[in-house]
Amino acid sequence: MCTNNLDTTNATRERAVSGTPDGQGRAPGATLPTITERDAMPSVLPVAEDSGAPRTAPGAPSVLGTPPAPGAPPGAGHPTGHTTGPAAGHTAGPATGHTAGPTTGPAPGDYRAAFNVARLAMAVVDREGRVLDANPALGALLGTDPALLITRSAADLADLREDPRTWREYRDVLGGRAARLRRTRRLRRADGHALWAEITVEPAPDSCGLLLSMADISDQRDLQGRLRHLQMHDPVTRLPNRSLFFERMTRALEAATYDHGGTGRIGLCYLDLDGFKAVNDTLGHRVGDRLLGAVAQRLTDCAAPDGHLVARLGGDEFALLVRNSTGTEQLCDLARTVLAALQEPFDVGGQRLSVSASIGVVERPAAGTHTTWLMQAADTTLYWAKEDGKARWTLFDPERNAHRMTRQALSSTLRPAVERDEFVLDYQPLVGLGDGVVRGVEALVRWDHPQFGRLSPNRFIPLAEENGAIVPLGRWVLRTACRQARAWQLTEPPHPLVVSVNVAVRQVWDSDLVADVGAILAETGLPPHLLQLELTESAVMGSTGRPLQALQALSDMGVAIAIDDFGTGYSNLAYLSRLPVSTLKLDGSFVQGFRAEEHPNPADETIVEALVQLAHRLGLTVTAECVESAEQAERLRRIGCDTGQGWFYSRPVPPDRIQAMINCPAPG
């Protein structure tokens, strides 16, 4: 059976009372328990109700004790029937030297007094959730008379019904299935003012009731709010920072996915100021910060009519988040508005400054969209806007992005592909225009990609030059081509073929090309005069320092040097006589004008003839690329071109096909 009292069966304890403090410092007449007695006391003790305590509900039991009815015998108010006065057979008087009888512990009235004067707002609640008693602190906290709280629902007072999870856990505590509930809730006082309170509900030991306590934490919440604001906002522009922006974007995606009343879409404008670094470098960071603040204000003005979120993500990068967007046109209109607003000059500290911005625009359904993907797409689109010329906005293009992703995938796997032998060489013959004899071959690398199939050089060579993979790849191409040329030389000694290998300028800078060529020639046994290295015109013309020294060393070694795509690049003819070059390869754009089915362009033939004559006077041979017809071959032969290369003779083929061409003159 549940009782609301102390166990009063403890043996009576005698205390000697005198007129002076005892050895433990007790005042005369004091009846403080000993240490052993205090340790034996329960943590929550019932107390009798005094005249100043709030009334409990009629007939309701209280863990704090019930006052005796009129005319009841002494002690009737205590749950056990014990009296609150002196024990039977003993006298109790004021602390004036009178003797005091044994006691069962502190009087219940002491706990009632503690309940009433406690600064912590508390209420006693029965197992049905009704308030049995409330202390004045609770009334003061809620701005009402504590007597008016009696019989009220504790769940309503503490706002425990709104959250289903909280309500379920609260019911578990009432039913004895959980030990404690602790929640932070926003409550409203009787006067309408709001406050934050930490609510605790837990059973009172040795009783059938529960204790509800409320601690006002409004000041703490206010401090936390101010600290969070500082943490989540940019100090320069006062805009939300990256952390808060990602938090809001995550919420917007979740809300758009499950909110059936919205459009279910989301949009993002991601912008970067063009040339902002120059402002910091020339005018100082103080002016730069003031300019950022002015830009933030204009962006806020652009977003304010529709309530879009504006944030500074760092540096000179800003973002505008459009929740429940209506389509790409809305985002494009917003981007146009932002560009127009930023094109107006800024007055910063008496200085008139003009800036522009590049904007990446993304708009898509929220379902299936993640914050990481959305930011990656926006960042990619911003890069496109800058790449396309800056001071513009660019809309996300899935096809263009797929190409970029493929490009990235190829770039990241280039070096491992060299180690896995995924590359092969095809060879295209270089044919004498006068006799149709195969004089040499150009080695052309192909990538047998396990996912994308066979890739031509224009798909991966630029990537290899960007990330440095061209050095190991170029070394592999050079070794493989020299080994194959040596095999042809041993098979057909009367008809040795010159093998021509393309070399990127980065191979000259990032590796010791001269040492690599020397080592490979020694390893394969190929004579140096059967190797020709092709460099583009822009890489060769104007070469100084290390590139020029490398070319000269290769030429001294006996290796031939050819200028590829001649006539489309730098074309500083003054350098032509100073470089160790043996061959010019005319770009195919000159040969296209030689087609018989089209009206010939006399200028093309005049230019080619002049270039051929110039090369011959300098002791150089000339090779025409992209020869596709007999008419082109004949006209090139007539103006003095030495060799031709193109589909008219052969497409690039595997090495075994070249073997058959060595002894058979090509068409001409």
Side-chain angles (χ1 to χ4, degrees):
M1 178 177 179
C2 184
T3 60
N4 297 328
N5 62 333
L6 292 174
D7 183 1
T8 57
T9 60
N10 296 331
T12 57
R13 296 177 292 276
E14 297 285 346
R15 289 181 175 82
V17 179
S18 64
T20 59
D22 61 9
Q24 299 184 25
R26 296 174 175 147
T31 58
L32 294 176
T34 65
I35 294 178
T36 303
E37 293 168 345
R38 288 199 303 269
D39 292 342
M41 290 181 181
S43 58
V44 176
L45 301 177
V47 297
E49 182 176 317
D50 63 7
S51 59
R55 297 181 180 271
T56 61
S62 172
V63 296
L64 299 178
T66 304
H78 195 278
T80 60
H82 292 193
T83 63
T84 57
H90 296 270
T91 60
T96 57
H98 293 229
T99 61
T103 180
T104 58
D110 295 341
Y111 293 96
R112 165 61 62 184
F115 179 77
N116 288 331
V117 302
R119 299 180 65 182
L120 178 64
M122 294 183 290
V124 179
V125 181
D126 65 15
R127 290 290 177 174
E128 297 300 321
R130 297 188 306 270
V131 175
L132 300 179
D133 206 353
N135 69 349
L138 182 61
L141 181 69
L142 299 179
T144 186
D145 185 349
L148 300 178
L149 302 178
I150 298 175
T151 73
R152 292 278 304 276
S153 168
D156 293 340
L157 295 180
D159 191 29
L160 302 178
R161 298 181 188 271
E162 297 300 323
D163 179 9
R165 178 182 175 185
T166 299
W167 173 246
R168 183 176 62 253
E169 294 182 6
Y170 172 64
R171 300 297 301 174
D172 288 342
V173 175
L174 291 180
R177 296 180 297 275
R180 171 183 293 186
L181 171 69
R182 176 169 291 174
R183 286 289 187 277
T184 298
R185 312 300 287 176
R186 191 171 187 267
L187 307 180
R188 190 165 295 278
R189 290 166 46 91
D191 57 8
H193 288 80
L195 64 103
W196 285 96
E198 184 177 80
I199 311 296
T200 303
V201 181
E202 55 188 340
D206 301 325
S207 77
C208 292
L210 300 97
L211 187 64
L212 167 70
S213 61
M214 298 184 185
D216 187 352
I217 59 170
S218 299
D219 291 341
Q220 178 182 346
R221 292 281 299 200
D222 181 62
L223 177 59
Q224 290 176 347
R226 283 181 286 166
L227 292 176
R228 174 175 168 79
H229 183 85
L230 293 174
Q231 181 184 7
M232 293 296 188
H233 286 76
D234 171 52
V236 174
T237 63
R238 310 288 180 174
L239 293 177
N241 60 15
R242 176 180 289 269
S243 298
L244 183 55
F245 176 77
F246 273 91
E247 181 180 298
R248 297 278 181 85
M249 182 165 58
T250 301
R251 292 180 184 174
L253 286 171
E254 294 174 352
T257 301
Y258 299 106
D259 184 7
H260 299 291
T263 64
R265 303 184 69 86
I266 193 166
L268 178 62
C269 288
Y270 186 27
L271 67 93
D272 178 273
L273 300 181
D274 301 324
F276 177 76
K277 184 176 183 299
V279 175
N280 276 339
D281 293 344
T282 57
L283 302 178
H285 286 271
R286 173 177 292 184
V287 174
D289 287 349
R290 296 181 65 180
L291 177 59
L292 289 175
V295 169
Q297 184 58 53
R298 290 195 185 178
L299 294 179
T300 302
D301 294 340
C302 293
D306 296 313
H308 304 317
L309 174 67
V310 183
R312 182 190 178 198
L313 303 188
D316 57 346
E317 297 178 357
F318 297 84
L320 292 85
L321 182 67
V322 179
R323 291 159 288 206
N324 286 315
S325 61
T326 58
T328 56
E329 190 59 34
Q330 180 188 14
L331 270 297
C332 295
D333 288 342
L334 178 60
R336 295 188 192 100
T337 302
V338 169
L339 278 181
L342 296 182
Q343 285 174 354
E344 296 294 326
F346 292 85
D347 186 0
V348 179
Q351 301 186 71
R352 195 173 178 83
L353 301 177
S354 297
V355 297
S356 63
S358 300
I359 307 177
V361 179
V362 183
E363 200 279 340
R364 62 168 289 117
T369 299
H370 191 269
T371 55
T372 301
W373 183 94
L374 194 61
M375 286 304 301
Q376 286 178 344
D379 186 62
T380 298
T381 312
L382 172 60
Y383 172 79
W384 293 344
K386 286 189 172 294
E387 190 178 45
D388 293 342
K390 300 181 180 180
R392 67 190 66 224
W393 60 270
T394 301
L395 185 64
F396 180 75
D397 182 359
E399 292 186 5
R400 186 174 180 180
N401 185 62
H403 176 73
R404 182 190 69 86
M405 296 295 290
T406 301
R407 192 172 185 271
Q408 178 61 33
L410 294 178
S411 178
S412 62
T413 56
L414 262 169
R415 290 179 183 270
V418 176
E419 300 172 359
R420 292 193 296 262
D421 292 329
E422 293 180 3
F423 294 94
V424 296
L425 290 185
D426 283 344
Y427 300 88
Q428 189 172 33
L430 305 173
V431 180
L433 290 174
D435 53 14
V437 175
V438 177
R439 304 288 178 82
V441 292
E442 180 180 357
L444 300 171
V445 64
R446 306 287 189 261
W447 186 357
D448 281 339
H449 197 281
Q451 179 181 356
F452 303 113
R454 176 160 290 198
L455 303 177
S456 59
N458 62 340
R459 293 288 302 277
F460 59 87
I461 289 298
L463 300 178
E465 292 178 344
E466 288 179 9
N467 64 16
I470 192 65
V471 173
L473 177 59
R475 192 178 293 118
W476 178 88
V477 171
L478 184 62
R479 178 178 289 105
T480 304
C482 289
R483 186 181 295 116
Q484 183 60 60
R486 176 59 174 167
W488 285 326
Q489 181 194 22
L490 295 177
T491 304
E492 299 289 342
H495 306 285
L497 296 181
V498 175
V499 63
S500 189
V501 178
N502 290 278
V503 175
V505 67
R506 187 162 183 176
Q507 291 178 255
V508 181
W509 284 106
D510 293 0
S511 67
D512 192 342
L513 181 62
V514 177
D516 288 344
V517 171
I520 290 173
L521 290 177
E523 173 189 334
T524 60
L526 182 68
H529 70 275
L530 295 182
L531 174 63
Q532 177 175 272
L533 300 181
E534 296 186 17
L535 288 88
T536 60
E537 182 178 11
S538 58
V540 175
M541 290 298 191
S543 295
T544 58
R546 182 174 179 179
L548 180 59
Q549 295 172 5
L551 294 179
Q552 188 62 56
L554 291 169
S555 178
D556 295 341
M557 190 186 299
V559 175
I561 305 296
I563 300 178
D564 196 14
D565 300 329
F566 185 79
T568 60
Y570 190 75
S571 297
N572 188 341
L573 299 181
Y575 279 88
L576 199 55
S577 61
R578 306 175 189 175
L579 295 173
V581 176
S582 58
T583 301
L584 299 183
K585 298 189 72 173
L586 298 181
D587 186 74
S589 59
F590 293 109
V591 181
Q592 289 178 356
F594 285 22
R595 294 176 179 174
E597 64 270 21
E598 300 177 357
H599 296 289
N601 186 349
D604 288 339
E605 188 166 342
T606 301
I607 293 174
V608 172
E609 185 175 3
L611 291 176
V612 170
Q613 291 178 1
L614 173 64
H616 286 171
R617 290 189 179 184
L618 294 174
L620 309 177
T621 61
V622 180
T623 298
E625 298 180 308
C626 299
V627 181
E628 298 178 358
S629 67
E631 291 79 8
Q632 289 175 322
E634 175 58 26
R635 294 177 66 184
L636 289 168
R637 183 195 61 78
R638 191 168 58 246
I639 63 178
C641 199
D642 299 295
T643 56
Q645 177 183 356
W647 287 6
F648 174 64
Y649 302 108
S650 174
R651 293 175 179 266
V653 295
D656 57 343
R657 297 279 299 278
I658 297 295
Q659 188 72 39
M661 299 179 188
I662 294 179
N663 295 317
C664 298

